[in-house]
Amino acid sequence: MLFGLLFSALCAPAAEPPGAALLGVDLHGQPIHALAGPGEHLVVLIFAASDCPISNRYIPVIANLNQEFGPRGVHFWWVFPNPEDTAPIVARHDQDYAIHESVLLDTHQTLVRESHATITPESALFRVTAAGMRELYHGRIDDRYLAIGQERPQPQHRELEAAIAAALAGKPVAPPTGPPVGCAIVPLQP
């Protein structure tokens, strides 16, 4: 129930009513209350850390997915949940790695909790509905990494890509066939 209520704010119009759920902030400190805009049917969250080499290796993969699926109503967000990823650090990271997708700082780890993310990189796919947003997929981007330090030259299964394609086609989305591999998300201190 809480999940549905929180994510009902995700696809709300740009002018937010007072008290709308705060989902994060942009790199200028401005609050983000909605993740989907007009004409966007799916939202993809990519949890990342500026200092995670595995996360950084996926930047071109996500750029390619954005190029392929963005024009079809899919909005991609890089979500930086770790406290040490401040706006200046993430802005420099985005410049160094030429990130052009939307970026937010999950300063209260709201999206981490709602998506049950624990690793960077980890992805979550949501369908935008009139009632809010419904999670369709949560897990790894692909199976390139078997473990830390153990990597295939190319993935055998591109699970996030398959999930997006299935969602756009109105088909069931398959769950990931294995866990994400990467860097742990640093929990906020109480």
Side-chain angles (χ1 to χ4, degrees):
M1 175 79 168
L2 174 62
F3 184 77
L5 292 175
L6 173 67
F7 281 103
S8 67
L10 296 178
C11 61
E16 294 298 320
L22 175 65
L23 301 171
V25 296
D26 68 15
L27 297 181
H28 304 288
Q30 296 301 309
I32 296 174
H33 297 286
L35 298 179
E40 293 175 334
H41 314 290
L42 298 172
V43 170
V44 177
L45 305 179
I46 305 297
F47 293 90
S50 64
D51 61 352
C52 179
I54 295 175
S55 182
N56 290 335
R57 294 276 312 268
Y58 277 100
I59 292 170
V61 172
I62 300 307
N64 289 338
L65 291 175
N66 186 34
Q67 186 175 17
E68 178 180 352
F69 293 115
R72 295 173 61 190
V74 181
H75 193 115
F76 287 81
W77 286 88
W78 285 99
V79 179
F80 289 84
N82 290 334
E84 62 273 2
D85 274 332
T86 62
I89 289 171
V90 173
R92 177 62 186 206
H93 176 265
D94 289 358
Q95 182 180 18
D96 290 348
Y97 286 92
I99 291 178
H100 300 292
E101 294 77 30
S102 298
V103 174
L104 71 80
L105 303 177
D106 190 6
T107 53
H108 299 290
Q109 295 186 344
T110 303
L111 298 174
V112 165
R113 283 189 306 279
E114 296 301 331
S115 298
H116 310 289
T118 59
I119 299 291
T120 65
E122 190 167 356
S123 62
L125 170 66
F126 297 91
R127 177 175 304 287
V128 178
T129 69
M133 295 183 66
R134 184 173 55 95
E135 185 176 72
L136 302 175
Y137 176 86
H138 163 247
R140 65 187 181 181
I141 296 165
D142 61 33
D143 66 354
R144 180 179 5 168
Y145 286 90
L146 305 170
I148 299 289
Q150 192 177 7
E151 168 185 6
R152 293 181 171 106
Q154 295 294 321
Q156 294 177 348
H157 301 96
R158 292 174 169 83
E159 292 149 315
L160 176 60
E161 181 178 357
I164 296 168
L168 285 171
K171 296 180 180 176
V173 174
T177 58
V181 175
C183 308
I185 292 175
V186 177
L188 294 176
Q189 297 300 317

